[in-house]
Amino acid sequence: MNFILLSMASGFWFSVLVGLVGAFFGLILNHFLPMFLKGGHVPKGSFGWPILGETLGFLKPHPSNSLGAFLQDHCSRYGKVFKSHLFFSPTVVSCDQELNYFILQNEGKLFQCSYPKPIHGILGNVSLLVAVGDTHKRLRNVALSLVTITKSKPEFLNDIERTAIQILNSWKDKQQVIFCEEARKFTFNVIVKQVLGLTPEEPETTKILEDFLTFMRGLISLPVYIPGTPYARAVQARIRISSTVKAIIEERRRNGCSSRKRGSDFLEILLGVDTLSEDEKVSFILDSLLGGYETTSLLMAMAVHFLSQSPTAFEQLKLEHQAIRSLKEKDDEYLNWEDYKKMEFTQNVINEALRYGNIVKFVHRKALKDVKFRDYIIPCGWKVLPVFTAVHLDSSLHANAFQFYPWRWETQDQTCKKFTPFGGGSRCCPGSELAKVEVAFFLHHLVQNFRWKAEDVEQPMAYPYVEFQRGLSLHLDHI
């Protein structure tokens, strides 16, 4: 009997061992087999370690206004287009202007948005950021419609300016501020008012902000759903934000027009859109909060950081805004859309901050079929990473590419192939103009009231998401 039990136990563990060995060799085969597909037609490159591939090297932190060691090394060895193994998938990485543009313009035809599955767990499957096909088209059409309706509305512009003035008034007795915190406070207050009609004083605003900060931390964490991890807390935070938004929707429907002016915010307009489901409307609200909060505040920080290093640009910017203010009949008269269109050098500063700072480093795509480009093949099913940073910092495309020089935009077309800070094609960020308006209006009051100096150690770092490690500490000089 003991012999039989021992034999059974030995057989079980032998089966386990065979299974583990088989799984291990399966992973090895899965990792290296794609490397030999299509022979010499696939771009040159290396796959790195089994399973992990070259992901750790690709994600190694570096200043966002540089390529980083990984891209520099691989481009010098293999050229601007090379193969690698990133995020558990065989991947073609493109640092080439023409291929990047080709990928962006063929969204839904030859390539498709393909973010890692854990991202879906936080954003939700109907998020505009990860949706594809007809779902993405419907969501994007609504987004574009909302932006068109909103961007020049006096109520929206006045809210931006009021919020900027409130933030800057709180600096009057301060000699130093952590600018990233101040910028996030500004952008959150603006977007939560525009999207949900909430003011900073309302309890729902505080509740959403607390959950949103948890949500943001998890979005850039190790995607492992274990209770207590940042990722797991982010998933739960998203559920709570969704519940809060649904409660606001129900209250709005019960009260009709009585509590808030109809058409005054995104939510009021969304309630009348029949082409979106309830979950899609809630997800759309979360996407709007995400886009209007983090990306816009980071763009503000980039502009302020680079202006601190360019006194000439600061002075020209200040003169432009003083000229605009001098045309106002009253000192406290609000800015309007016509004033915004006069901010030409401001636009140059914003564009240069986008090019040089590289808020978005790359995007994830997947080849839907074998794609031939020039003399190589991108195999069906492989991931494709068009790297915007590489094109923005390409000295053959931009003179003095590693220098903050806003004047380049006086002659350079900001809609050209070599400048894609908000993506391109059908997935170009629909809220990009709103972000620029917010930054322009904030700078209008900032440059007329303050000078500032950033600490020497401060610089934007790519992880690959971009942030200032110390929050961009500014020493203020009141004008």
Side-chain angles (χ1 to χ4, degrees), residues 33-100:
L33 183 61
M35 196 169 186
F36 304 102
L37 295 177
K38 307 295 179 184
H41 296 297
V42 178
K44 296 178 182 179
S46 59
F47 269 23
W49 295 96
I51 306 174
L52 284 178
E54 298 185 302
T55 306
L56 297 181
F58 181 76
L59 295 178
K60 188 175 181 180
H62 62 273
S64 70
N65 54 343
S66 74
L67 284 180
F70 179 89
L71 289 179
Q72 286 180 333
D73 174 67
H74 282 62
C75 286
S76 64
R77 291 166 61 188
Y78 308 118
K80 291 183 178 180
V81 180
F82 58 88
K83 68 185 174 188
S84 182
H85 204 281
L86 303 171
F87 308 106
F88 308 108
S89 298
T91 303
V92 169
V93 179
S94 170
C95 296
D96 179 83
Q97 171 198 348
E98 293 296 334
L99 179 53
N100 285 5

Side-chain angles (χ1 to χ4, degrees), residues 226-299:
I226 299 175
T229 61
Y231 179 82
R233 287 198 294 267
V235 173
Q236 294 302 312
R238 187 194 187 281
I239 293 172
R240 291 194 297 272
I241 297 172
S242 298
S243 297
T244 302
V245 171
K246 287 178 181 178
I248 293 172
I249 290 175
E250 288 303 313
E251 179 192 1
R252 193 74 67 92
R253 282 176 173 152
R254 284 196 306 269
N255 296 334
C257 311
S258 60
S259 62
R260 289 185 173 89
K261 182 180 178 183
R262 181 166 292 278
S264 62
D265 53 45
F266 281 10
L267 179 55
E268 204 67 58
I269 300 171
L270 275 179
L271 291 179
V273 177
D274 297 329
T275 57
L276 300 183
S277 68
E278 196 79 349
D279 285 343
E280 286 173 339
K281 291 176 181 178
V282 172
S283 186
F284 189 93
I285 293 294
L286 265 69
D287 289 342
S288 300
L289 292 173
L290 177 62
Y293 172 73
E294 185 67 20
T295 307
T296 307
S297 64
L298 185 54
L299 173 55

